[in-house]
Amino acid sequence: MLSENPVNGAHDITKTKCLEFGGADITIEDVVLIAQQDVNSSLSANEAFRERIQSGQSFLADMLKNNDVIYGVTTGYGDSCTVSIPDELLVELPLHLTRFHGCGLGKILDIPTARAVIVARLASLVKGYSGVRMELLERLVWLLNNNVLPLIPEEGSVGASGDLTPLSYIGALLIGERDALYLGEQKPAREVFRSLNITPLTLQPKEGLAIMNGTAVMTALACLAYSRAEYLTKLSSRLTSLAVLVMKGNAGHFNEKLFATKPHPGQTEIAKRIRNDLDGWAQRHNGNRLQDRYSLRCAPHIIGVLQDALPMMRQFIEIELNSTNDNPVIDGKAEELLHGGHFYGGHIAFAMDSMKNCVANLADLMDRQMALLVDTKYNNGLPANLSGSSLERASINHGFKAVQIGMSSWAAEALKNTMPASVFSRSTECHNQDKVSMGTIAARDCLRVLELTEQVAAGLVLALTQAITLRQQEGGLQNDVCQAVQDFYRAVSEEFELVTEDRPLDDDLRKTIDFIQKKKWTLY
């Protein structure tokens, strides 16, 4: 829940908006806002919330006094749950958990993603069923508001028992071990804490497990992936509209009555977007073909699959985000200890495997639209490869030829990565974790597919902008384009110079990708 309240204890607060944890559930959009440092964070002052947190901690303390057996608190971890921990070593057990899981490899998560991971873990812990102290929750808020971040390697999780290895880097940061990222520099965590006059935490029983034994990494990645996928449905709709315009396609393919006969809601919404984009032009033109090729005619049916799947994916992601997803679950008020498997990331794995399939189909769609656009056999009179050169220099200019090749390469790689990760479960940890979700790998795959699809989209954005300019130079599309499409074309044209002579386009592509990832263009 967003509020205007100041955040207590923050080191450098410059924002007025604040997202409160411990009250209402948070959304995917909330995670993105904090990840991008657009809002600060705080904990609810609600008395019932604070009592719930305290009751879990108190109940856990009472069980320890009674010498009750508690997984991961008085026993070893995983297959070692049969090992009893002597009383004098209980305080060291969480420390060892963070240390032996310090084996992550691969790239380090970037700043927005690391922030999103902390948000996802905090959103789960504030539910009050993890047996942690308010002090630990406050420290997580402090990390976000001061942008003191763990360096989290992206590889090493099988998605059950949660994201143990990558989340160990949050646990290690809290106790002042390993490195931290602060003010753009990588420094030892203790050095950063010392400079900010902060004392590292000593993790209490269950707190190491509560930090690490959950689905926060895969869920954070899923939130970021959802935001990007949702934008791509809008962008690919707009680009389809432009493709129909510049190739003089048949606007009748998006007829409202036509889509009422097959009323998938998302598919119908995509057709409506394209129909509205083509409104002024469609009244004057019937298209050059009775039926356009599938990459134009069937675009709502292709984009619409993702559009229709998004509500289900949002439900999966946001329930996971706002759930208790560690083990054991501690209900302090009812004085119950429940051992289970909420760390299993199956819902996120399915959502991410599904999303990458849908998104890769957008890459394939846009690549096929580009193939029509550059080919004089199909583009209804546009120059070969969309070259803007003069006739006397046409023989040595190749326009967007290589961009089209690149787009096919990126689309092919996106399609290759659609193999579902969740079917590759491996039995691990002495066959205790004998069926695992692979949710984090699925989420990482999905982000890679999104990146490749955004690259394809960037190529098509520039190619269609070039094509519209060429059509206008020949006297077409002067008064036939709706205001929203004109505004989009104008915004891209301000950043992109017409290709009249061959030049490297990599910088233009990178700039356009950045615009797409930052959602610079308002669409629909």
Side-chain angles (χ1 to χ4, degrees):
M1 181 171 64
L2 283 176
S3 71
E4 300 287 345
N5 297 331
V7 184
N8 295 325
H11 178 67
D12 182 20
I13 302 294
T14 58
K15 304 174 182 66
T16 58
K17 294 271 184 201
C18 183
L19 184 71
E20 185 179 275
F21 290 84
D25 285 352
I26 68 171
T27 66
I28 289 170
E29 288 74 19
D30 292 333
V31 175
V32 174
L33 283 172
I34 300 181
Q36 295 174 343
Q37 303 179 57
D38 290 331
V39 297
N40 284 304
S41 306
S42 68
L43 293 176
S44 173
N46 180 272
E47 186 175 340
F49 159 64
R50 292 179 177 265
E51 287 179 355
R52 189 166 67 249
I53 297 299
Q54 182 57 50
S55 68
Q57 184 66 24
S58 299
F59 176 54
L60 181 61
D62 289 342
M63 285 191 290
L64 287 172
K65 288 179 184 177
N66 294 332
N67 295 315
D68 291 336
V69 177
I70 310 166
Y71 168 74
V73 177
T74 65
T75 75
Y77 298 114
D79 183 63
S80 302
C81 64
T82 57
V83 177
S84 296
I85 308 299
D87 290 348
E88 64 273 16
L89 296 180
L90 290 181
V91 70
E92 293 187 55
L93 188 62
L95 182 65
H96 278 257
L97 181 66
T98 65
R99 285 177 175 169
F100 79 79
H101 271 288
C103 57
L105 294 177
K107 296 178 182 177
I108 301 299
L109 298 182
D110 62 20
I111 289 174
T113 309
R115 290 178 60 83
V117 171
I118 297 174
V119 173
R121 200 72 218 112
L122 181 60
S124 177
L125 296 180
V126 296
K127 293 301 172 184
Y129 296 103
S130 298
V132 302
R133 295 167 295 161
M134 188 64 69
E135 185 180 359
L136 184 142
L137 303 179
E138 290 169 346
R139 184 58 57 87
L140 292 174
V141 169
W142 182 89
L143 293 178
L144 289 170
N145 288 340
N146 292 275
N147 216 25
V148 177
L149 302 176
L151 280 79
I152 305 175
E154 67 177 10
E155 297 173 5
S157 172
V158 293
S161 173
D163 291 315
L164 289 167
T165 288
L167 287 176
S168 76
Y169 289 78
I170 296 180
L173 176 60
L174 291 171
I175 63 177
E177 295 191 356
R178 304 185 201 168
D179 284 352
L181 184 66
Y182 180 62
L183 298 179
E185 294 185 35
Q186 179 177 343
K187 296 180 179 179
R190 283 190 179 275
E191 184 179 319
V192 173
F193 285 170
R194 194 179 305 116
S195 71
L196 297 174
N197 198 29
I198 293 293
T199 303
L201 289 180
T202 298
L203 295 177
Q204 297 301 302
K206 179 64 168 65
E207 287 186 339
L209 198 57
I211 284 288
M212 293 169 51
N213 193 19
T215 59
V217 176
M218 69 179 82
T219 303
L221 298 183
C223 288
L224 300 178
Y226 182 97
S227 179
R228 290 164 71 175
E230 184 179 46
Y231 188 75
L232 277 172
T233 66
K234 297 177 181 179
L235 182 58
S236 56
S237 300
R238 175 57 49 80
L239 296 182
T240 296
S241 303
L242 297 181
V244 173
L245 283 169
V246 298
M247 287 189 281
K248 302 179 181 178
N250 189 338
H253 296 323
F254 313 103
N255 181 277
E256 184 175 5
K257 287 185 178 180
L258 174 66
F259 280 86
T261 67
K262 188 178 181 180
H264 293 295
Q267 175 181 283
T268 301
E269 173 62 24
I270 301 302
K272 180 181 177 181
R273 291 175 186 172
I274 299 170
R275 185 169 62 250
N276 289 344
D277 281 351
L278 298 176
D279 184 39
W281 182 84
Q283 295 173 12
R284 299 177 180 84
H285 305 275
N286 295 320
N288 285 12
R289 287 172 57 93
L290 179 64
Q291 293 192 152
D292 286 331
R293 291 170 177 83
Y294 286 11
S295 61
L296 298 183
R297 191 189 345 160
C298 298
H301 309 76
I302 298 163
I303 306 168
V305 176
L306 177 55
Q307 185 70 26
D308 274 309
L310 285 173
M312 177 271 290
M313 294 171 182
R314 176 184 286 275
Q315 176 183 309
F316 278 22
I317 296 166
E318 288 187 343
I319 288 177
E320 191 75 32
L321 175 65
N322 292 286
S323 71
T324 299
N325 47 64
D326 57 309
N327 173 60
V329 170
I330 297 173
D331 186 342
K333 288 193 172 182
E335 297 189 342
E336 284 188 275
L337 179 71
L338 306 167
H339 291 95
H342 283 357
F343 46 68
Y344 193 92
H347 282 78
I348 297 295
F350 181 80
M352 293 294 94
D353 278 343
S354 303
M355 184 182 290
K356 69 189 184 188
N357 180 302
C358 295
V359 170
N361 269 292
L362 300 191
D364 199 25
L365 171 70
M366 290 185 284
D367 176 48
R368 294 302 84 208
Q369 290 174 344
M370 180 66 166
L372 298 180
L373 196 59
V374 297
D375 193 330
T376 56
K377 295 189 294 295
Y378 309 111
N379 66 16
N380 282 317
L382 286 166
N385 300 304
L386 302 179
S387 173
S389 68
S390 61
L391 287 175
E392 56 269 25
R393 296 185 58 79
S395 62
I396 63 169
N397 277 283
H398 298 81
F400 280 76
K401 181 186 284 288
V403 174
Q404 192 272 321
I405 297 171
M407 288 171 62
S408 281
S409 165
W410 307 324
E413 186 173 345
L415 293 165
K416 179 183 74 68
N417 281 324
T418 58
M419 173 67 74
S422 54
V423 300
F424 286 95
S425 173
R426 313 298 302 149
S427 182
T428 68
E429 205 255 312
C430 301
H431 297 292
N432 175 55
Q433 300 176 15
D434 59 347
K435 179 72 175 89
V436 293
S437 77
M438 297 296 180
T440 313
I441 297 174
R444 285 172 38 225
D445 282 350
C446 187
L447 287 171
R448 176 58 178 156
V449 169
L450 280 159
E451 181 181 41
L452 291 161
T453 304
E454 288 158 351
Q455 292 173 193
V456 175
L460 189 57
V461 166
L462 299 184
L464 286 166
T465 302
Q466 174 96 354
I468 290 175
T469 304
L470 294 173
R471 285 295 193 208
Q472 289 181 335
Q473 288 177 352
E474 67 184 29
L477 301 180
Q478 298 299 330
N479 303 308
D480 298 335
V481 181
C482 76
Q483 190 61 51
V485 172
Q486 289 183 45
D487 291 345
F488 177 79
Y489 166 71
R490 190 177 301 111
V492 179
S493 297
E494 288 173 357
E495 304 292 335
F496 176 63
E497 182 182 349
L498 183 72
V499 181
T500 55
E501 287 285 318
D502 288 344
R503 70 172 191 265
L505 293 175
D506 47 357
D507 287 343
D508 295 284
L509 287 165
R510 292 182 193 281
K511 182 190 290 188
T512 306
I513 293 165
D514 185 62
F515 271 49
I516 292 170
Q517 292 178 346
K518 292 179 178 176
K519 306 178 182 66
K520 292 284 189 178
W521 302 306
T522 300
L523 301 167
Y524 305 107

